Amino acid sequence: MEAVCNGGGGVSSSKLAFLKLPDHTHNTHLPNGFTSFQVTEKKLSMGATNNSQPKIVTGEAGYVLEDVPHLSDYIPDLPTYTNPLQDNPAYSAVRQYFVNADDTVPQKVVVHATGPRGIHFRRAGPRQKVHFESDEVRACIVTCGGLCPGLNTVIREIVCGLNYMYGVNRVLGIDGGYRGFYSRNTISLTPKVVNDIHKRGGTVLGTSRGGHVTKKIVDSIQDRGINQVYIIGGDGTQKGASVIFEEIRKRGLKVAVVGVPKTIDNDIPVIDKSFGFDSTVEEAQRAINAAHVEATSVENGIGVVKLMGRNSGFIAMHATLASRDVDCCLIPESPFYLDGPGGLYEYIEKRLKEQGHMVIVTAEGAGQELLSQSLQSTDQQDASGNKLLQDVGLWISQSIKNHFAKEQKMAINLKYIDPTYMIRAIPSNASDNVYCTLLAQSAVHGAMAGYTGFTVGPVNGRHCYIPFHRINERQHKVVITDRMWARLLSSTNQPSFLTRDIIENAKKDKEEVVPRLLDENPINRKKVAC
């Protein structure tokens, strides 16, 4: 069934139905060949401990379902209600209103014939039974961290999804990020209020970094009678959401906590991509085009463009591939050097002699080790705990100027463009608007069905509910031994700047990352009968 597996990996629908997966997984009696284990506690940020035990279900042929928490896990005798979508005219033409109880989505779609089927996630979508009545729901939405195209679209679609699909009329916007829970006023959100906010950049709710005082946040949630919390933000925000969920579980509150992953850098793992990424890459073309025009208009012109990407070079890589005007792309995952044979200076000189101009795109996190050698390093951090980076664009531009002035080989004309804040502030494009709608509706379906403590996102093209710990365990990065990076090198014809040792280490890291993650999971230290 395309990317969706009814059980997947040799596990039949009937077996999964017997496994009691109608709406959530219970660690109760399991049939032969299936085992449920619990993962040991994980340390999270903000000094908190994740005391919950993620639900793991294993089956035949190495099938592993990493399920998400459900309110019924800690609230006994949780009432269920008929999903109002069955009477919704919008869904009347849909052949199947609700997602099958045993639908799961594989994280890995390319497998060997005799290999395990690997990790699966619960498929997102409306359930036949829900655990909230429409007039009982009091939801809130909060946006945290840096700006990103699509924030307003997600806000709009959560509000409209709750109202149009489930008849929910009470939705609050938390003003000013996490600290807005206890230091600012709320905003009443209705379909009329949010009607055209998707046409604007930024977030109508405001945002901030930091503010993770978990007890105060949950106190505010409890005092306001909020029972659905939608948290939109990046990796730091999702870690905060995980800790908030743990405190809510500890208090036994009937509150669904849902994360919508947001990062302009596309560095959140597991999911296919983050919202706003397509808009960012598209807008980056304007800066690259301007650099190309400047470079081609003068003798020995060089255009340098700095794009977002603290630890991951996806924006720079995709913008370079889309542009076709870039001669060199520098990203954090691929070390480079300046002097000597095969270095950046030599390549610039070669390129200028061949075509008379050059365009360089660099991610903001590229070359930081070189900057720390030539500039005074800093260990300062922002409110989210991110290390404050030196401006690699300014540094590399000045370094190139100094090199050619010193060598006196040729006169160059260099222009530096930093479009970072202009790109962050744009509204999302058509592609991201559609994507944000799907994310928001999937989040709403999950919360209404009683799922909690999860992030929503597409895995191999199908939207899933993913446990917080999987989102928070590492950062998604460009693999420089993958075909995508090879495609970029072929497109720009730039040198890789890599030594044999670096290449071998990168290959080794790629080969070991999945086995290492699996080994760290106690469930995989036990033998499962197939």
Side-chain angles (χ1 to χ4, degrees):
M1 295 177 60
E2 300 178 68
V4 177
C5 299
N6 284 331
V11 182
S12 67
S13 297
S14 60
K15 283 190 176 182
L16 275 177
F18 183 57
L19 189 59
K20 304 290 186 186
L21 293 181
D23 286 306
H24 57 281
T25 304
H26 293 286
N27 293 330
T28 54
H29 301 292
L30 303 177
N32 292 335
F34 292 89
T35 313
S36 177
F37 296 111
Q38 295 183 327
V39 180
T40 55
E41 66 181 25
K42 293 176 176 287
K43 294 290 184 181
L44 298 178
S45 62
M46 300 186 285
T49 302
N50 180 358
N51 294 314
S52 67
Q53 306 295 319
K55 297 184 293 188
I56 308 293
V57 179
T58 65
E60 296 174 355
Y63 171 87
V64 178
L65 170 65
E66 290 208 19
D67 207 357
V68 297
H70 193 272
L71 291 173
S72 62
D73 294 342
Y74 62 91
I75 299 177
D77 303 320
L78 189 70
T80 61
Y81 311 98
T82 301
N83 193 324
L85 277 180
Q86 67 181 20
D87 301 318
N88 191 311
Y91 276 73
S92 61
V94 179
R95 183 178 301 174
Q96 181 179 336
Y97 295 161
F98 306 114
V99 172
N100 282 333
D102 56 356
D103 277 1
T104 63
V105 180
Q107 182 176 6
K108 186 178 181 182
V109 293
V110 179
V111 297
H112 298 292
T114 58
R117 293 299 174 260
I119 294 171
H120 289 231
F121 300 105
R122 186 174 288 277
R123 185 184 179 190
R127 264 55 184 177
Q128 199 162 13
K129 297 292 183 180
V130 296
H131 292 274
F132 290 94
E133 290 188 292
S134 301
D135 56 2
E136 143 190 35
V137 175
R138 188 173 179 85
C140 76
I141 305 171
V142 62
T143 55
C144 305
L147 296 182
C148 175
L151 281 167
N152 281 333
T153 307
V154 175
I155 295 168
R156 180 189 190 277
E157 295 308 318
I158 290 175
V159 174
C160 292
L162 283 166
N163 187 277
Y164 297 154
M165 293 190 296
Y166 290 98
V168 174
N169 296 313
R170 295 185 297 178
V171 184
L172 299 176
I174 304 300
D175 186 11
Y178 274 141
R179 63 172 59 100
F181 274 102
Y182 50 85
S183 63
R184 296 197 183 191
N185 294 326
T186 58
I187 304 168
S188 180
L189 300 176
T190 65
K192 184 177 180 180
V193 170
V194 301
N195 181 53
D196 62 351
I197 63 173
H198 63 290
K199 299 175 183 177
R200 295 179 246 161
T203 165
V204 294
L205 300 180
T207 185
S208 64
R209 296 187 183 275
H212 304 292
V213 184
T214 307
K215 186 180 182 302
K216 285 186 177 182
I217 291 173
V218 178
D219 285 345
S220 175
I221 291 170
Q222 194 169 2
D223 292 343
R224 296 176 189 272
I226 293 169
N227 51 23
Q228 290 186 9
V229 183
Y230 297 91
I231 299 173
I232 309 168
D235 53 356
T237 301
Q238 299 304 312
K239 289 175 183 176
S242 179
V243 178
I244 290 169
F245 159 69
E246 291 302 331
E247 179 64 19
I248 286 172
R249 179 201 285 255
K250 179 181 176 182
R251 298 188 190 188
L253 304 178
K254 185 185 177 183
V255 179
V257 180
V258 182
V260 180
K262 175 236 59 167
T263 168
I264 207 167
D265 295 346
N266 197 39
D267 59 359
I268 291 181
V270 183
I271 64 174
D272 296 343
K273 66 178 177 181
S274 53
F275 74 82
F277 179 71
D278 284 351
S279 303
T280 299
V281 171
E282 184 177 299
E283 186 69 12
Q285 303 304 297
R286 296 178 59 188
I288 293 173
N289 182 60
H292 184 251
V293 170
E294 290 284 352
T296 56
S297 299
V298 295
E299 183 180 5
N300 294 330
I302 301 174
V304 177
V305 179
K306 184 185 76 171
L307 298 176
M308 290 76 72
R310 297 178 57 86
N311 301 299
S312 303
F314 288 103
I315 294 175
M317 179 174 71
H318 283 259
T320 294
L321 282 167
S323 170
R324 307 294 179 182
D325 287 331
V326 179
D327 300 286
C328 185
C329 177
L330 306 174
I331 62 173
E333 296 89 340
S334 181
F336 65 94
Y337 56 98
L338 302 176
D339 293 294
L344 181 60
Y345 293 150
E346 182 182 84
Y347 175 58
I348 292 173
E349 184 177 343
K350 174 176 176 290
R351 206 69 172 147
L352 291 178
K353 287 180 179 178
E354 289 174 349
Q355 62 183 24
H357 67 273
M358 184 176 187
V359 175
I360 301 171
V361 168
T362 178
E364 62 182 320
Q368 290 296 315
E369 69 285 351
L370 297 178
L371 271 78
S372 63
Q373 295 172 12
S374 60
L375 302 174
Q376 184 177 0
S377 61
T378 176
D379 292 326
Q380 290 182 318
Q381 297 179 334
D382 63 20
S384 295
N386 300 313
K387 182 179 178 181
L388 295 177
L389 301 179
Q390 303 276 8
D391 191 328
V392 67
L394 280 175
W395 173 80
I396 204 168
S397 297
Q398 192 60 50
S399 297
I400 293 169
K401 290 178 181 178
N402 293 343
H403 171 78
F404 282 94
K406 180 180 178 182
E407 296 295 327
Q408 297 182 343
K409 291 185 177 181
M410 60 177 69
I412 64 167
N413 290 279
L414 187 147
K415 299 293 189 295
Y416 171 52
I417 299 174
D418 179 0
T420 300
Y421 293 105
M422 294 178 66
I423 292 177
R424 290 186 357 155
I426 65 168
S428 53
N429 64 10
S431 173
D432 271 324
N433 273 336
V434 173
Y435 179 28
C436 289
T437 300
L438 299 180
L439 278 174
Q441 291 191 1
S442 294
V444 167
H445 291 315
M448 292 298 296
Y451 294 111
T452 181
F454 70 88
T455 294
V456 65
V459 177
N460 297 313
R462 296 284 187 168
H463 283 246
C464 304
Y465 300 139
I466 305 163
F468 278 138
H469 74 90
R470 287 303 308 275
I471 294 295
N472 297 329
E473 66 190 359
R474 62 184 177 87
Q475 281 189 313
H476 183 38
K477 295 188 177 184
V478 174
V479 179
I480 59 175
T481 54
D482 260 4
R483 290 187 181 89
M484 201 64 178
W485 185 242
R487 292 179 183 120
L488 180 139
L489 296 178
S490 299
S491 174
T492 61
N493 201 31
Q494 71 185 65
S496 67
F497 303 113
L498 301 180
T499 64
R500 183 176 297 275
D501 289 343
I502 292 174
I503 294 174
E504 291 303 317
N505 288 335
K507 287 181 178 179
K508 184 179 179 182
D509 287 344
K510 183 187 177 185
E511 291 169 358
E512 290 182 352
V513 64
V514 174
R516 184 172 67 248
L517 290 174
L518 291 176
D519 288 342
E520 290 171 355
N521 191 335
I523 187 173
N524 296 296
R525 300 193 187 114
K526 298 178 182 286
K527 299 293 183 181
V528 179
C530 296

